[in-house]
């Protein structure tokens, strides 16, 4: 595997958190994968993909659970996307949300080439692994997370949204897709197919100010090779009434106290003070 391929440290942390919830030793798994504690301290740091692949293999060996990646779906959007999910939720419609995902996901990982293609009455979101060595756990988690969150954004059930889904030869997410009522078949490259007409569907969380601000933030993150989670949080504090704990969680801080301390160190005020000051001056 090319040493240039990477995954965000938040992704590795999410894998380890799930392993710990299953009763596995996260410390031992991390050590076996060669991932240091320092690498996990900054959730925007980049970890070589080969280390994450070793972590997947160690999780498979230790758990004996072929659906480990499927179960990871519950923590993927919150912790792995580093606030990108806030941008996707705030887009004016589903088409803009999917386009933003394709544009900015390389800042989180370059292990998968994501493309959105419209062919007649159907739209296909394709997830093409850059390397054939990618473990199916990660692909299972990615496919299920996308199916669930795309449906959530337009307020529908997965079976009402997707025409069919393609999953790779080794993936194990077919059972869960069947439970959700989503047709699936085996393919070389995972994909999600939905009616093109749904791209114009407005999102319940649409917020033009937040969307445009986050677009600028993520464009800068892509060019610089890293993001700025605290600036993302500041935008969201200004443009929504979401609880501070929720904002902290969605940009990757599992402890809101750590988020508050980092925010105060960066901007000189707490998130609550910033929000009150902004509202008072509006």
């Amino acid at each position: 595997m090319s040493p240039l391929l990477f995954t965000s440290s938040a992704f590795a942390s999410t894998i380890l958190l799930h392993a710990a919830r299953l009763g596995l030793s996260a410390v031992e798994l991390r050590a076996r994968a060669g991932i240091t504690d320092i690498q996990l301290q900054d959730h925007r740091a980049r970890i070589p993909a080969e280390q994450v692949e070793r972590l997947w293999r160690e999780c498979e060996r230790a758990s004996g659970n072929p659906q480990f990646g499927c179960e990871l779906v519950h923590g993927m959007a919150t912790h792995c996307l580093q606030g990108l999910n806030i941008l996707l939720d705030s887009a004016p419609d589903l088409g803009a949300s999917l386009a933003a995902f394709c544009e900015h996901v390389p800042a989180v990982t370059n292990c998968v080439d994501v493309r959105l293609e419209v062919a007649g009455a159907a739209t296909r979101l394709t997830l093409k692994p850059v390397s054939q060595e990618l473990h199916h756990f990660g692909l299972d988690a990615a496919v299920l997370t996308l199916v669930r969150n795309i449906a959530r954004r337009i307020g529908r059930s997965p079976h009402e949204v997707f025409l069919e889904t393609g999953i790779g030869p080794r993936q194990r997410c077919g059972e869960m897709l069947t439970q959700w009522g989503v047709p699936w078949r085996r393919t070389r490259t995972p994909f999600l197919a939905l009616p093109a007409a749904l791209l114009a569907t407005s999102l319940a969380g649409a917020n033009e100010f937040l969307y445009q601000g986050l677009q600028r933030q993520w464009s800068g993150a892509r060019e610089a090779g890293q993001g700025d989670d605290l600036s993302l949080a500041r935008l969201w504090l200004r443009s929504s009434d979401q609880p501070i704990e929720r904002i902290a969680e969605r940009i990757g801080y599992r402890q809101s106290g750590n988020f508050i301390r980092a925010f105060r160190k960066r901007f000189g005020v707490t998130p609550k003070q910033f929000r009150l000051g902004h509202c008072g001056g509006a």
Side-chain angles (χ1 to χ4, degrees), residues 132-207:
Q132 295 301 315
E133 299 176 33
L134 292 186
H135 200 287
H136 70 276
F137 283 174
L139 293 173
D140 281 338
V143 167
L144 291 176
T145 298
L146 284 167
V147 167
R148 188 182 67 174
N149 285 343
I150 289 172
R152 173 185 60 78
R153 287 188 178 105
I154 59 176
R156 302 192 184 187
S157 299
H159 72 272
E160 298 176 304
V161 175
F162 296 96
L163 301 172
E164 68 170 340
T165 298
I167 63 175
R170 295 183 297 157
Q171 287 186 249
R172 300 298 187 97
C173 60
E175 181 179 341
M176 190 169 291
L177 289 170
T178 298
Q179 292 175 3
W180 291 352
V182 178
W184 62 274
R185 60 185 173 89
R186 295 287 180 185
T187 57
R188 293 185 61 183
T189 302
F191 71 85
L192 285 66
L194 63 158
L198 288 180
L199 296 182
T201 305
S202 299
L203 303 192
N207 183 318

Side-chain angles (χ1 to χ4, degrees), residues 36-218:
T36 67
D37 186 54
I38 294 177
Q39 287 177 287
L40 301 178
Q41 289 179 0
D42 180 1
H43 68 269
R44 290 188 176 276
R46 293 179 171 182
I47 293 182
E50 60 185 12
Q51 289 184 304
V52 178
E53 290 305 303
R54 286 203 298 271
L55 179 58
W56 281 131
R57 291 193 293 270
E58 290 299 329
C59 288
E60 181 177 26
R61 179 195 61 79
S63 69
N65 180 6
Q67 293 192 322
F68 184 98
C70 301
E71 297 171 354
L72 199 69
V73 63
H74 303 296
M76 280 282 286
T78 298
H79 297 128
C80 292
L81 294 185
Q82 307 173 352
L84 179 57
N85 55 315
I86 306 173
L87 167 63
L88 304 182
D89 285 349
S90 66
D93 54 46
L94 181 59
S97 181
L98 293 178
F101 177 74
C102 294
E103 179 182 1
H104 300 304
V105 77
V108 179
T109 180
N110 63 354
C111 291
V112 178
D113 182 20
V114 184
R115 296 185 181 182
L116 184 66
E117 301 170 326
V118 179
T123 295
R124 178 176 290 199
L125 185 68
T126 302
L127 310 174
K128 184 178 180 180
V130 175
S131 169
Q132 295 301 315
E133 299 176 33
L134 292 186
H135 200 287
H136 70 276
F137 283 174
L139 293 173
D140 281 338
V143 167
L144 291 176
T145 298
L146 284 167
V147 167
R148 188 182 67 174
N149 285 343
I150 289 172
R152 173 185 60 78
R153 287 188 178 105
I154 59 176
R156 302 192 184 187
S157 299
H159 72 272
E160 298 176 304
V161 175
F162 296 96
L163 301 172
E164 68 170 340
T165 298
I167 63 175
R170 295 183 297 157
Q171 287 186 249
R172 300 298 187 97
C173 60
E175 181 179 341
M176 190 169 291
L177 289 170
T178 298
Q179 292 175 3
W180 291 352
V182 178
W184 62 274
R185 60 185 173 89
R186 295 287 180 185
T187 57
R188 293 185 61 183
T189 302
F191 71 85
L192 285 66
L194 63 158
L198 288 180
L199 296 182
T201 305
S202 299
L203 303 192
N207 183 318
E208 184 64 22
F209 172 80
L210 181 60
Y211 177 69
Q212 293 298 334
L214 290 176
Q215 277 282 42
R216 290 191 293 272
Q217 289 287 342
W218 277 93

